[in-house]
Amino acid sequence: MTIVYESLAKIGFMFAVIMGMVVVLIWMERKGAAFIQDRTGPNRASIAGIRLAGLIHPVADVFKLLFKEDVAPANRHRALYNMAPWLVMTVALSTYAVIPFGDFLTVAGRRIPLVVANLDVGMLYILAVASLGTYGIVMAGWAANNKFTFLGGMRATAQMISYEINMGLALLGLMLVFGSLRVTDIAAGQADLIWGFLPKWGVVVQPVGFLLFLTTVYAETNRNPFDLPEGESEIVAGYHLEYSSLKFALFFMAEYAHMVIGAALIATLYFGGYQVPWLPRPALEEHAGLLLTLLLAGTALVSVLISVAFLRRAGRERGKFGDARDREPGMGAGLWLIIALAALAGLLQNPWHIGPSGAEAFASFIQIGAFLAKLVFFAWLFIWVRWTLPRFRYDQLMHVGWKIMLPLGVANLLVTALVMALV
Amino acid sequence: MEGLLFWFCGGFLLLGGLMMVLQRSAVVSAVWLVFAFICAAGIFAVLGGVFLAVMQVLVYAGAIMVLFLFVIMMLQGPVLEGERKLMPVGMWPLIAVPPVAVLLLITGYLRSDATVAFAAAPPAGFGTVEAVAGLLLGRYLLAFELISIVLLVALVGALALGRGERNQPWK
């Protein structure tokens, strides 16, 4: 029974991470777009004057979408129309089963591997689930009985078929290098160093494969520059045009959940996953006391600095708005001061002598933190690319997929195989 | 546990196959077929062929049926208006098939000694990628390569036929 509880806990953790990331990503997208387009972005929604730099907006969005009227076309195919959003979301969430978010964690003497399902064929599972993702989009496009949604569904299918082969080819090179189809083996294999200083990350041993994989991940998530299935300027909103209220919200959340998967896959397969560069697990455990002390001291210092910055803003902007928003800088200063005090209290507990079990737990949490940090960075990369590149034209999409990436992928695979055979 | 999963997947596989045949709309038929494929993959997984199960989903459900659905949707177009929901009267006796199938499944489950059927564990390494690859690229290498050549010939032939008489550049 313990294994069931363990699995449930891990699934719960991953679900919380994804849903939390979805909210943060919606905020990051709007703020990032504003940053790139040189404007302020969302800053109006507030709870008692606290705006959290726009983080209240996703919460407001959720309530808006929950209570909106569900308008649906009269001549839809009822069953498929209702099933599509659910399917898109389910498929988006199920890829996470094979992604390790840490090495292991020792709880009450049991070593718990930090992955929900350590499949023999994890890499193939990723490809299989990714290929199922199209069904929801195609069903939505067809069942809504609208020519624009239909075109969106068709485009999604064609795009998925073209890019899935490239994704497989890119991953084959990686499987050859690490000699395994287990995602955990690939993540663990990236702890080594090449020539003593270069981390053996996927991006180092498979640079071409990484570029191919990055491009196909963008295509599979239907994000710019590959968002032809949506294509606002051409087919209005594509496959989810006829959806409203919570059904639309599911499509919207699924897009961000796909982004989180994409980012997690890029981080796990090509950027060392949960590995901290130059600090493999034994080193982390050995120097746990020093690292923890440094971490707490750094946190305390940074929080004090942020708190001082908030205090100065509070002094500068006294009475700027003349309403509840004036309390914001003061409360920010207080919050960061509390964090600083917590870090200082931690320092007083003598973190240098953390003990072997403490060191192990510390290493586990640092590795989970490293994974999440990489995840956030690559999620930001998605947003960055979206607001930088224009959308492909349809013939360009097909040209890139079949005439450039496919030969490149085959060449990469052959060269990798040759090198592996010779070395 | 395995026995239960086997009957679960098997029951839904039958349901999927039946619904695929009974549906009037080709698109919905295709969706039921995908469902049946996934259930078949579940049976492979229960029997120890995890690699086969994943390949079933990847190749049949993920690639081939997506193409099928693409073509069907192109030909059938949007949802038919005034589509007849019920089956023709002549097929009504078929309604008895699902309950009978479920009854058969239940009796089969109750009467078979499910624990015995799954007690004989497969040999170590059965159904892994290494085992399948060893067979495909070792013992059955010739057949494997010949099949791929047959598929290639069929593909080129379909292309040549599909282009029609007038559009053949070699004439």
Side-chain angles (χ1 to χ4, degrees), chain A residues 117-272:
Chain A
N118 193 0
L119 290 185
D120 271 346
V121 286
M123 303 290 279
L124 297 176
Y125 174 87
I126 291 172
L127 288 172
V129 173
S131 65
L132 289 182
T134 335
Y135 282 111
I137 292 177
V138 174
M139 274 183 200
W142 182 78
N145 204 2
N146 175 319
K147 288 188 177 59
F148 289 121
T149 63
F150 186 65
L151 278 173
M154 294 281 102
R155 283 181 174 196
T157 323
Q159 183 172 319
M160 199 283 288
I161 293 169
S162 311
Y163 278 78
E164 192 169 85
I165 300 166
N166 295 323
M167 186 185 249
L169 279 176
L171 289 185
L172 275 177
L174 198 71
M175 293 176 208
L176 271 181
V177 172
F178 290 102
S180 176
L181 267 70
R182 263 179 204 273
V183 185
T184 46
D185 284 354
I186 290 176
Q190 300 185 58
D192 306 339
L193 294 176
I194 310 174
W195 303 317
F197 67 97
L198 204 56
K200 195 188 173 188
W201 283 359
V203 66
V204 177
V205 288
Q206 281 281 303
V208 180
F210 165 66
L211 283 180
L212 289 173
F213 184 76
L214 188 73
T215 318
T216 50
V217 163
Y218 280 62
E220 298 264 334
T221 47
N222 292 327
R223 295 268 306 176
N224 239 2
F226 297 98
D227 66 341
L228 289 110
E230 280 174 52
E232 297 90 342
S233 50
E234 302 151 23
I235 50 174
V236 196
Y239 59 92
H240 60 60
L241 168 61
E242 294 283 10
Y243 284 88
S244 52
S245 104
L246 209 60
K247 292 197 186 101
F248 168 74
L250 273 178
F251 277 114
F252 192 64
M253 289 198 304
E255 183 188 329
Y256 286 91
H258 270 295
M259 268 169 75
V260 186
I261 306 178
L265 281 180
I266 295 169
T268 306
L269 300 178
Y270 288 95
F271 284 86

Side-chain angles (χ1 to χ4, degrees), chain A residues 281-297:
Chain A
R281 176 107 198 175
L284 270 178
E285 285 182 19
E286 192 185 337
H287 305 295
L290 172 68
L291 289 170
L292 185 59
T293 312
L294 282 178
L295 193 70
L296 285 173

Side-chain angles (χ1 to χ4, degrees), chain A residues 194-403:
Chain A
I194 310 174
W195 303 317
F197 67 97
L198 204 56
K200 195 188 173 188
W201 283 359
V203 66
V204 177
V205 288
Q206 281 281 303
V208 180
F210 165 66
L211 283 180
L212 289 173
F213 184 76
L214 188 73
T215 318
T216 50
V217 163
Y218 280 62
E220 298 264 334
T221 47
N222 292 327
R223 295 268 306 176
N224 239 2
F226 297 98
D227 66 341
L228 289 110
E230 280 174 52
E232 297 90 342
S233 50
E234 302 151 23
I235 50 174
V236 196
Y239 59 92
H240 60 60
L241 168 61
E242 294 283 10
Y243 284 88
S244 52
S245 104
L246 209 60
K247 292 197 186 101
F248 168 74
L250 273 178
F251 277 114
F252 192 64
M253 289 198 304
E255 183 188 329
Y256 286 91
H258 270 295
M259 268 169 75
V260 186
I261 306 178
L265 281 180
I266 295 169
T268 306
L269 300 178
Y270 288 95
F271 284 86
Y274 51 78
Q275 310 282 1
V276 185
W278 300 290
L279 275 178
R281 176 107 198 175
L284 270 178
E285 285 182 19
E286 192 185 337
H287 305 295
L290 172 68
L291 289 170
L292 185 59
T293 312
L294 282 178
L295 193 70
L296 285 173
T299 311
L301 188 66
V302 171
S303 335
V304 165
L305 287 179
I306 295 176
S307 184
V308 167
F310 264 114
L311 275 179
R312 290 181 58 172
R313 201 179 118 198
R316 202 167 58 236
E317 297 181 352
R318 185 180 301 276
K320 181 184 173 193
F321 297 106
D323 59 22
R325 282 177 287 175
D326 284 333
R327 288 187 309 213
E328 214 177 34
M331 294 190 74
L335 179 73
W336 283 100
L337 206 60
I338 290 172
I339 295 176
L341 286 178
L344 283 176
L347 274 178
L348 290 180
Q349 299 296 316
N350 196 2
W352 198 282
H353 302 288
I354 188 171
S357 63
E360 223 179 63
F362 172 76
S364 295
F365 283 115
I366 283 291
Q367 290 192 322
I368 296 176
F371 174 72
L372 291 179
K374 291 173 189 176
L375 186 77
V376 171
F377 174 77
F378 286 106
W380 162 246
L381 192 67
F382 271 91
I383 293 166
W384 193 356
V385 167
R386 170 167 177 188
W387 297 101
T388 308
L389 294 181
R391 185 182 302 137
F392 275 130
R393 223 168 47 217
Y394 197 73
D395 59 314
Q396 291 172 330
L397 174 89
M398 288 296 153
H399 179 83
V400 169
W402 289 106
K403 293 187 181 168

Side-chain angles (χ1 to χ4, degrees), chain B residues 147-168:
Chain B
I147 287 173
S148 53
I149 290 175
V150 168
L151 284 177
L152 185 65
V153 170
L155 192 72
V156 174
L159 202 65
L161 288 176
R163 288 179 76 102
E165 283 287 319
R166 279 175 300 168
N167 288 331
Q168 293 180 348

